[in-house]
Amino acid sequence: MAGEICAIVPTFNRGAYLAEAVTAIASQTRPVSDIVIWDDGSTDDTPHHVADLKTRYHGLVRAFRSENGGKAKALNAALSEARGEYIWICDDDDVALPDATQILMQGFDSPDVSLVAGRHLRFRDDANGHRTTYDTGYWPDLSSGSPLRHILEDIFFFQNASLVRRQALQDAGPFREDLLRSIDYEMFVRLAARNRVRIVDEVVFLQRKHDGARGPSSAQHAADQSDSVWKSHDLKIFRDVRGTLPLSLYEALYDGSDPIMVQRAALLQRGTVYARRTDWDMALEDFTAAGALDPDRSLTSVDANIVRRAMSGKHGIDDALTPEIRRKLTDLSRQDQAGKDILNALRRGAIWHGRAATRNRNLSKALSIASLAAPLLWSRTKATESDLIERDTLPLEAYQW
């Protein structure tokens, strides 16, 4: 049990990919001790492939089957059968690199670390079986800021790229079975809010890109609809955790001698998290509260960097350009110096999108962003000097809420 890794592979109608996925797991240089395949009611030839894998990896692969109920339900059932101190959840269509577990296990160099995650590359096979590998996609600058802050702002690693202590998963509770997508993100938020996370900047698996359907049989969607489905589920997840994650956890992301400045940074950070979810009502609630804490004191450089990131989310800034949100932002800027600085930081964050819209010849969007950002030409203010800093590592007591 101690030090052993259990790999869990939930599968549904992926017979064409399953064997390659499981073979990669079984061929790790740091071997796994248990592979649990959970067939979520497949209607293709998946059962045939599962039977073959059980024979090929006798004693290593254990297989179970249930009626189709979605990935979260399959994972919860598989976890009840899993053996081992560490859990490695792997999708049925991706391919782990041979040294994935070896790389990830090196991150558990402290008993305080409960989750270690790495990088991935994406790939696509053409009709002739030729494989093209390309970049990771979104991957944040991890040279500053805690893993928790980066996770709250956006998901950038996947279950295939993460090892989790079994006890941390048990403490976090089951995967949410009411979610069609983003169940991994929701769980990562829960885990990172209660445990130390370590990110290693090494590639540990290849993520397959293909055009197959997503989701359980009762609510499937096409691959090209994934972005809108993810957006709606991210909104739901963070609306649900609004009353769960305390402000003290956001405060722990920052440190300084003035508690008011730390609290202001925390509110700005939470507002930025919600802006990146395109939940501008919640974002404005926090931005307004942050400005009211010390209305006549301008933002620090740390504060401004936080707010600029509000305009860098993967879901874009179209929601911030609606007449209603722009009016509310303008009202905020008219209240006090802090409010004006918040809007100016948002404007600076929007400039990149304006340049991108111009390059893509989306003139209407470029003009909308230009009208939002134009006041920057005459509304510069000097940042408040402060000893406020962003922490790269949170104190352990921050997780005890």
Side-chain angles (χ1 to χ4, degrees):
M1 182 78 173
E4 293 184 347
I5 300 170
C6 174
I8 294 176
V9 186
T11 187
F12 176 67
N13 285 353
R14 293 277 174 77
Y17 305 129
L18 183 62
E20 185 178 10
V22 174
T23 297
I25 296 168
S27 305
Q28 291 294 298
T29 55
R30 203 287 192 186
V32 302
S33 59
D34 188 27
I35 301 176
V36 174
I37 301 176
W38 197 281
D39 183 355
D40 188 33
S42 295
T43 57
D44 65 354
D45 61 351
T46 292
H48 168 76
H49 290 282
V50 172
D52 179 66
L53 289 164
K54 280 186 66 179
T55 301
R56 191 188 316 174
Y57 300 110
H58 179 70
L60 178 61
V61 169
R62 293 184 295 134
F64 302 84
R65 179 178 169 87
S66 62
E67 293 184 3
N68 182 260
K71 184 178 180 180
K73 189 171 184 178
L75 283 175
N76 289 332
L79 281 167
S80 69
E81 298 287 345
R83 306 164 183 165
E85 183 181 358
Y86 299 92
I87 302 296
W88 186 23
I89 295 174
C90 299
D91 285 342
D92 55 1
D93 54 349
D94 296 328
V95 182
L97 296 183
D99 55 354
T101 52
Q102 181 177 338
I103 290 171
L104 294 173
M105 282 299 296
Q106 290 172 357
F108 290 101
D109 56 0
S110 166
D112 299 328
V113 177
S114 292
L115 186 158
V116 178
R119 188 192 281 266
H120 65 282
L121 296 177
R122 298 174 292 173
F123 76 95
R124 185 179 289 272
D125 291 342
D126 65 20
N128 297 316
H130 176 71
R131 179 162 295 179
T132 301
T133 303
Y134 44 109
D135 63 12
T136 300
Y138 174 69
W139 189 261
D141 178 4
L142 299 171
S143 62
S144 64
S146 64
L148 174 60
R149 191 264 284 177
H150 288 292
I151 291 169
L152 289 172
E153 289 188 347
D154 267 321
I155 187 61
F156 54 98
F157 60 88
F158 294 91
Q159 286 176 325
N160 297 58
S162 63
L163 269 182
V164 187
R165 291 188 192 272
R166 180 191 183 95
Q167 187 61 55
L169 276 170
Q170 290 176 338
D171 293 343
F175 284 90
R176 282 184 54 175
E177 297 181 9
D178 61 314
L179 297 176
L180 301 180
R181 301 294 290 176
S182 299
I183 62 168
D184 52 348
Y185 191 10
E186 193 273 340
M187 178 58 79
F188 286 144
V189 169
R190 273 191 273 161
L191 289 168
R194 290 288 193 179
N195 304 274
R196 276 196 175 154
V197 173
R198 179 156 295 153
I199 310 296
V200 295
D201 196 6
E202 295 185 66
V203 176
V204 295
F205 89 98
L206 304 179
Q207 183 189 48
R208 187 187 301 270
K209 309 303 290 185
H210 59 86
D211 300 323
R214 268 67 169 172
S217 61
S218 60
Q220 288 199 327
H221 60 274
D224 60 2
Q225 296 175 320
S226 289
D227 286 346
S228 61
V229 174
W230 272 319
K231 177 179 175 179
S232 65
H233 279 71
D234 285 357
L235 276 168
K236 176 176 174 55
I237 288 168
F238 279 86
R239 277 290 176 108
D240 290 347
V241 303
R242 178 78 174 185
T244 302
L245 300 185
L247 186 63
S248 63
L249 190 62
Y250 288 89
E251 290 174 344
L253 300 174
Y254 298 91
D255 191 24
S257 60
D258 186 342
I260 295 298
M261 300 294 279
V262 172
Q263 185 179 2
R264 184 166 79 170
L267 286 165
L268 293 173
Q269 180 62 69
R270 191 169 68 177
T272 286
V273 167
Y274 281 85
R276 291 169 72 100
R277 305 278 83 74
T278 69
D279 193 340
W280 279 94
D281 288 332
M282 292 293 97
L284 279 162
E285 183 178 304
D286 283 329
F287 289 157
T288 301
L293 279 177
D294 198 345
D296 296 325
R297 183 155 45 166
S298 60
L299 298 189
T300 68
S301 58
V302 173
D303 293 330
N305 284 332
I306 295 170
V307 179
R308 277 198 290 269
R309 292 197 301 269
M311 305 300 264
S312 303
K314 63 184 177 184
H315 299 307
I317 65 169
D318 288 353
D319 296 81
L321 301 176
T322 64
E324 179 184 6
I325 297 302
R326 291 179 61 180
R327 177 183 58 78
K328 290 180 178 180
L329 287 171
T330 301
D331 290 344
L332 173 63
S333 70
R334 289 171 176 167
Q335 292 177 16
D336 44 56
Q337 183 61 51
K340 182 184 296 184
D341 288 350
I342 290 170
L343 180 54
N344 282 343
L346 291 170
R347 286 166 171 159
R348 290 185 184 280
I351 288 175
W352 180 89
H353 291 278
R355 291 170 178 162
T358 301
R359 287 195 303 270
N360 296 330
R361 298 185 179 182
N362 187 342
L363 297 183
S364 61
K365 184 174 182 177
L367 287 172
S368 182
I369 295 172
S371 63
L372 174 69
L376 274 175
L377 297 174
W378 59 83
S379 58
R380 298 179 184 273
T381 56
K382 185 177 180 180
T384 292
E385 294 185 4
S386 170
D387 63 356
L388 182 73
I389 62 168
E390 181 178 9
R391 286 182 166 129
D392 294 333
T393 303
L394 275 62
L396 285 175
E397 59 266 24
Y399 302 105
Q400 307 303 313
W401 49 271

